[in-house]
Amino acid sequence: MSSWLGGLGSGLGQSLGQVGGSLSSFTGQISNFTKDILLESAEEVGDAASELQVSNSRLEELETLYATQKSEYERLRRINSELEEKLEAAEIQVKQQSVEYRTLLQQKEVEISHLKARQSGLQDEVQKLQHSAQAAASSSSSDVAVLPVTTAATTTTSSSFLHRSTAVHQGFHGDEVDLSDVLWSQQEINRLSNEVHRLEAEVDHWRRVAQASKLPGVDGNGDQGEVLKMQRMIKELREEMAREVDEHQHELTALQDAQRQKMAEISKRHREELAEYEERIEELEEQLQSEGGNVVQKSTTVQDSAKLQELQSTIQSLQEEAELQRKQHSDLLVSLEEAEHQKAKLEREKEEATAENTELLQNYSRLQKSVNELQARVQEQEGKSMLKAQHDNEIQTLKKALAGAEKEMARLRTLSESSPIEVEHADILELNTIIDTLKKEKEEVEREKLTLVEKLTLAKKRHKAGESESVVELSQEVSDLKSQLDQREQALKQAHLDIETLSAELEELDKQNQEATQHLITVKEQLSLQKTQADTEKSHLQSDLNSSLDQRQTLQLELEAQGEKLSQSAFSLNELHMAKQQLESTIKELREKLCKSQDLGKELRQESSDLKMALQERETEFTALREKLSHSGEQGNALEEHRKALETKDKEIQDLRTELSEVKTSYEGAVSEDFELKIENRKLKEESTQALEKIDSLEKQIQDGQASLSRMSLEKDTRIEALKLEKSQLESELSQTEKRLSDQAKQYQQTIDELTRARSLDASALQTEHERMVKLNQEKDLAIAELKREIEQMVSDHKDTSEMLDITVAGQNQLTELLQEKDAFAKSLKAQATEAQQELECKFLGATQECNSLRKWVEEKDKQLGAMKEENSHLKEEIDRLRDQQSRPPLLSEPRTLDIITELETEVAQLKAARDQLEEEVQSLRKVSEEQQATTLQSQRSLQVLQSELEQARTRHEQSSLNYERLITAKDDEIVRLQSEVEGLSTQRQNQIQSVEILQEDKTQSLNGENGNEKHDLSKVEIEKLVKGIKEKETEINQLNEKNLSLTKQLDQLVVSQNELGKLSQMVLQKDREIQALHARVSGGHGQDVVFLQQQLQAYAVEREQVLAVLNEKTRENSQLRSDYHRIMDIVAAKEAALLKLQQENQRLSTMSDPSGSQEMFRETIQNLSRIIREKDIEIDALTQKCQTLVSVLQTSGAGDSVSGGSGGVSSNQFEELLQERDTLKQQVKKMEEWKQQVITTVRNMQHESAQLQEELLKLQGQVSADSDCSSKLSVDYSRLIQSYEQKEKKLGFLSQELAQVQQTISQLSSTKEVLLGKLGSVKQSPEASAVMATQAFAPPNLKGTAPLGQDESLHHELQSMQRILAEKESMIRTLQENNHRLSNSASLSESEQRSHTEELKQAREKQESLQRSLREKDLLIKTKGDQLSQVSESLRNRENDNEVLKQAVTNLKERALILELDVKTLKEENEAIAGKAREKETEFRALQETNMQVSLLLREQEFQFSAVNEKATAMEKMLKDKEQGKSGELNQLLNEVKSMQEKAVLFQQERDQVMMALKQKQMETTALQSELQHTRDKEQRLKQEVERLRNHLLEIEDSYTREALAAEDKEGDLRRKVALLEERLTSSSNAVESASQQASLQVESLQEQLNGAVRQRDEALIQLCASQDQVNQYAVSLSNLQMVLEQFQQEEKAMYSAELEKHKREKEEWRTKAENLQDQAAALQINLDEANAALESASRLTDQLDLKEEEIEDLKKQVDLRQEMLEEAQRKLMNLLNSTEGKVDKVLMKNLYLGYFHTPRNKRSEVMRLMANVLGLDRDEVSELLQEEGKSGVTGWVSSLLGGRAVQSVPNTPQRPTHTQNLNSSFSEMFVKFLEVESTPALPAPKLPVYDIKPLSAPPPGRSTASTPASGVSGPGKRTGDSNPFLAPRSAAVPLLNPAGAGSTAGAGGHLLMKPISDALPTFTPVPVSAEASGGAVLKDLLKQ
């Protein structure tokens, strides 16, 4: 595992490193990319080709960058996937290991529990044996021989004996009472022995210390004598202890042997008596069985047991189902956790994908910017190469339009991009909120954790500070020790209680945590499914991304192709530049043409401006259309959202329906189960007349089962509801995520499409611009044509969109209607759901009431366990005290216990922290439970409603069942009478074998036969009613079953009450087991119970006497043990005093030995100082010698040896002495270290001993708990025995009732026999074989016995079975009647037998009553004695508790005294050490002062010497100066030596200063040590006072304890006397029982004699039977005939019933089908009705509109008629004018023309000539000849041609006659005439037809109709524009003036600017019709005349 985790960690590290590296490289690439983009603006290239190459290279670089990024992205994805796989594998392994560890933990816990149970069992056995041995010893003779037997042998023998004795004897109740005293005495003995060992170890330790610390010079004979005395004392104590232990063991063995002997005798007697009583009881039971009295009761018990088993099996099956569902719930929780993890992963992947998409979009925008820059540059170059400046303006306007379109595209893009960003923002916000909440929760948890950690640290610091302060401030703490101890004891008790409660809560919370983990696992699984779905969606998105990337690659390829095209265009530009130079030459030639074409240009500009205006209008329309389209798109989106919402609602409705159906089915199943259980309850109530008490217990069990079922169902339902809520939440989240993903996918696709469109548009724009540069003139015309086509397309698109909008509006209306219907349906469904919830709530209230009743019952049961709880509380107090003892170790002497305390404190702090966390979890769980309780209350309300319905159904069913039961009872009585007589006579031999079967068959036959007889009595109408009622009941049962199932599901989901229900179910199971055990005991014979109770009485009396004897013995033993304890305490006190003496002696010895150490220190200091002085002396000697040498050199004599040098020398002997002293000091230091190690070893030994004592304490605690368990078990057994005794009394009462019933049935049979004999006197028929009749008589019951009463079958089957039984019962009745008639002769004999039998029964009853009285009296005695015993035991327990409390107080005080003694010892040792140190310091200080004085004196002497030497040196220098001339070298040397001497003197002065400073420091230290010594002495005094006070207190406590012990001994003596009295009473009662048993044996013998008489009577009856069988044969033939008739009748009835049933079924099915069809028809009709209503509304609207429109049509028709009349008049006038003015010429006009010809310049004279020619009617040939003659000058020819061309372009062509050719030339006057024509034409708008005003259903709004009008203008008329000219048109062409709409539309569209129509508001002239032949002059003349 560790290796695998290590590998995983290394793999994670590598992968994370790779990720970091790839990220760094990625960031580097991004930075490079940004730098390149920034630098792009700086780079400028002159030529287009080089610029294209640069852009291509940049594109390639970008592509490479993109490829690298893509590869890195893929690599990162792979790494991520690998890490995810590793994570999953790790999680799986962790889960497996956690499961394994949990299983191991469970196994270990089971093993621990088994071992504990085994240990407690063994301890119980040992304790029982000990108690029995002591009791036997007390009851037997007082002088018992002491046997030298070991304890091991006794235990083995006793254990072997125990297995024998426990089978018969159930143990004594009082044995456990004195066990605590014995255990306490053993504990005291063990503790005292341990104390003796400890004291011995201390004595040995101090002896070693004394031996080690003794000096060779000091004598230790006195100490050794005291040590020897102590050793003798210890030996004596050991011997006394061994003797006491041996005596105790001998006493125990003797007691055990005596107990064994007594128990063996008692058990033998008991067995013999039991065997005798069992034999007698069996004989009595056989007699009772032969008489047939107990058969009915036995059968009932059998049936009861069978029913019990069935109920138990059902309960077990339900529990198994609950466990399965819990397992499923845990699996679902696991899956939920996994799904949550996967969801988090998916969200991370989604965020990564969004980041990638944003990066790609940024890259794309950068690429677009670069492409736009390139395009701008290319456009600039193209603008430079433009030839004509005039067309630049038009191109710029087009560019502006394109820019506007691009802006619109950009705006749309931003809109499209903003929507996914908003969606993404919403997702991110949701995720952020979830993450924030999780973070807050985590922070809160961490804060709590930190606070707990801080508290822990503070506690630790306080603890440490307390320890440190306790050392310093012991004196203050001693005064407050008592109060602190009490407080701490209370706090510890509270802490232990808290720990116990916390452990219980921890276990509960562990269970809840496991359940929660299971819930999370289910959630994980669900989320894993969601992850798979999300993965599929992610794969789809990835495929879309790949496709978009492919498209991007294709676009890049297209960009490259365009780049190549751009390069080609650059080359073509160069070629164009060349062509430009050539064109410049041609431009000069074309300039003349330009000046002429300027006129045309102006006109074209005007046209272009008009077109631009039209374009702007179209653009506005286009924007409006776009807005409408966007609105329609939004509406379409809204519709799609509506559809989605509808689909989700449909799904929810289907889910609700399915859930409703499931709930109904489960509810019906639950109701059916409830109904069946209630039927069973009724049957049990019917049987309760025979056995009331038994059926009460059974009803309780059934109620418990029902309560558990209802709880389980409620839990299941609540669980299902919780799962449904979770499912709905998850589905909603899934749907939201799916919608988001789909929206994002759509938005991405839209952006990609828009980008591709933009690319394609850019490419097409570049190509068109390239073509325009080549062919500018042609492209202008093409652009105009394209614009026109676009306008037409826009118009057609507008129409399509309007139609689409109409369709969508209609569909929306339908959808809204559907939504309303769906909403109504959803409301109805919600109402149904609320009703169902209310029903469930009512049901749940009933279930909670049952729960409350169960809880009350359990509380009553728990009250019986009060004694156990009290004992447990006492044990807990003992454990707390023991823990207090453990948690109070010595502070200084035992560091290990302090460590243990600190560890325990840390554990307590951790537990408190865990408790706080768990409390928070508990609070959260409580909130959940409160919510679930609210739901349970709702379900309880629904339950109440259902129960009310059930009760109504019950009342109906009970009424019908009462009718049945009356008839059944009547028939049953007859059958029972007849059968009893027949069975008593005929089947006595087969009684023992077939009695049980016959009775069971009789029951079934009686029930079935009654039903059959009832059917004869009832009429067919009643049968039909019953059938219908049964069917209704069946349906109701099914419904109730389904409801019950739903309730069970709800109950399974109740998580809160699960723990309580589990506990209650366990309690119920325990009680059931106890009830079963009691039933098993009860099933034995009644006589045996009586005997057994008598034996128990005797045993209890004997036990009571033994208990009292044992109590007396225990009190004596207790007093002996207390005396021993006091003696041992005295010994301990003496030993402690001896110890104190030893310690004082040791201290004295140490003080004796300490001065030597101080002397050694003084010596060392002296040695150091002497060494310094010697060194100084040596230096001074050297200086003096040098001075002397100098003097001797100076002196001529040279004999200066008189000066002596070494007055301050040190002898070598002193130095050697000092070295020896140092060696001795080192040896002493080593000895001290060895002593220190010995102390450490002793401390460790003490720690080990304390650990052993703790283990022994734990063992003793286990023994105490085992004793308490035994006592509780015995009390429970006693209560059970009392209950069983009471039940047996009740059974005796029931038996007496049954005897009375038997007597009544016998009297009834005799009366019926007489009646039958009277009736059958007249009947006589032929005989037949007797064997046949016998078989016929007894075959039907045997056959029918196999047919059980169907409790689980439906009522329909019961009907059929009842019909069959009817026929059989009637045949039986006839056969029995015939048999009775035959047996009339033997009636008198049987009556005499019956009388004798009744007399015997009366005697037996009297005996029974006497026995019952005696039993009651004995019961009363037992109860009184039991009460007395309980009182005595309670008083004893109280005393024992008081004794234990006092014992514990004594032990606590002793331990405290020991702790204080140890503290005192340690403090004494410390004080001694401090005193020794202080003395040493004092001696050192004195020595230092002396040495200081000496040193100061020496220094002064040296200073004097130094001054003398200096003076000598100065004198020598003077001498030397005098002798410098000859001795310069020697002088220099001397001077150098003098300087060195001075330096050394300075050094000496510094050293002297340092020595003075050290002396001052030593003085300060000595003063501090003296103050410390005084402080420690004060402390010693205080501690001694406290120790004395505590000793006095201990002695007082011991005195009080001894007084109480004496009082207890007196009470024990009283109790023993009482026990002796009880034993005497027990012996008297046993004698009475023996006498009663003798009487019973006499009664048995008398009963046997009676039985023999009954056998004789039976033989006589058999003889009579043979005679009666002959008569039976005669009646057989008649019976067979009657049977034939009856069978035919039955068959006919069966056929009738089956036919009627089938008819009813068919009718029911037909009615159902009809109802379903009607419902379908009603639904269809409703739909049709809604549609018809909608159609009617629309039709009413249409009719209103039609009426209005028809009125408008009539008005318009009138206007049209008027206009037509006006037109006809105008046409007549025109025709008259034409006729009148034809062939006339105006003179004035001709004059003006003639003058104008000569006034006009020569350029324009041709026009005047043509006008004149037209007026005069000349031919075109003549006019052309004239013009050619004039045009020879060459000036006007081409101009006229140009004018003709202009006319062709500007004026629309007129239709030519076949004779005339087209006139190419036109003059100014002609143009004027045309202008007049145009002005005179009516410019009225086209008359609106009324049909156009009718608004259809799918009509667009009025604002949209404006856009459709231009279409008619464009596409409407196909005529030429020339038809609109009424002046120049022929006569045949003047007729179309009746259709002015076409003319008006075309005139506005195609005519000249001057010919454009005036607005509608201006007045218009009527048109003047003129023929084509007429000239313009004629027209003018006519006008002038007018």
Side-chain angles (χ1 to χ4, degrees), residues 482-498:
K482 271 195 178 180
S483 60
Q484 286 178 3
L485 277 167
D486 296 331
Q487 289 173 4
R488 281 182 186 175
E489 280 174 358
Q490 290 171 0
L492 263 169
K493 285 174 186 175
Q494 288 174 359
H496 285 300
L497 291 166
D498 291 335

Side-chain angles (χ1 to χ4, degrees), residues 993-1052:
I993 300 156
Q994 296 177 349
S995 61
V996 179
E997 292 175 359
I998 288 159
L999 277 158
Q1000 288 172 352
E1001 286 158 13
D1002 290 341
K1003 280 206 165 184
T1004 55
Q1005 284 165 5
S1006 63
L1007 288 164
N1008 296 324
E1010 282 147 20
N1011 288 324
N1013 292 323
E1014 184 201 357
K1015 295 237 172 105
H1016 271 294
D1017 297 332
L1018 290 166
S1019 64
K1020 286 181 182 177
V1021 178
E1022 288 174 350
I1023 286 158
E1024 286 172 359
K1025 285 178 185 175
L1026 282 166
V1027 168
K1028 286 175 185 173
I1030 286 154
K1031 284 177 183 174
E1032 288 171 359
K1033 290 285 160 65
E1034 282 176 357
T1035 54
E1036 284 175 0
I1037 286 156
N1038 290 322
Q1039 289 172 358
L1040 290 166
N1041 279 323
E1042 288 170 357
K1043 287 178 185 175
N1044 202 355
L1045 284 168
S1046 68
L1047 287 169
T1048 51
K1049 286 176 185 173
Q1050 286 177 354
L1051 272 170
D1052 289 335

Side-chain angles (χ1 to χ4, degrees), residues 35 263 302 373 423 644 672 690 901 972 1566 1919:
K35 281 177 190 173
M263 287 300 293
V302 170
E373 286 172 1
V423 173
K644 286 175 183 174
S672 64
Q690 295 173 0
I901 288 157
D972 239 338
T1566 50
K1919 293 179 182 180

Side-chain angles (χ1 to χ4, degrees), residues 1659-1672:
D1659 295 332
E1660 290 168 1
L1662 279 167
I1663 294 157
Q1664 289 173 1
L1665 212 163
C1666 294
S1668 64
Q1669 276 176 353
D1670 297 328
Q1671 292 176 355
V1672 167

Side-chain angles (χ1 to χ4, degrees), residues 953-966:
R954 276 182 198 163
T955 51
R956 291 174 195 162
H957 190 71
E958 282 171 358
Q959 285 172 2
S960 61
S961 63
L962 283 165
N963 293 324
Y964 274 97
E965 283 168 2
R966 286 168 192 165

Side-chain angles (χ1 to χ4, degrees), residues 566-613:
L566 279 169
S567 62
Q568 289 172 3
S569 66
F571 290 124
S572 64
L573 270 171
N574 292 323
E575 288 171 1
L576 283 164
H577 280 297
M578 294 295 289
K580 186 183 177 184
Q581 292 173 358
Q582 293 174 357
L583 285 164
E584 279 175 356
S585 61
T586 57
I587 284 162
K588 291 174 183 177
E589 295 172 359
L590 291 166
R591 273 177 189 168
E592 293 174 355
K593 294 178 183 179
L594 260 173
C595 65
K596 293 173 185 177
S597 65
Q598 278 174 357
D599 300 325
L600 282 166
K602 287 173 185 175
E603 291 172 359
L604 286 165
R605 280 171 196 165
Q606 287 174 354
E607 285 176 359
S608 66
S609 64
D610 294 331
L611 284 166
K612 283 172 190 173
M613 294 290 286

Side-chain angles (χ1 to χ4, degrees), residues 11-12 15 78-88:
L12 279 167
S15 59
R78 284 179 208 140
I79 291 159
N80 192 13
S81 62
E82 287 172 1
L83 289 168
E84 283 175 353
E85 287 171 359
K86 285 178 182 177
L87 219 171
E88 287 172 357

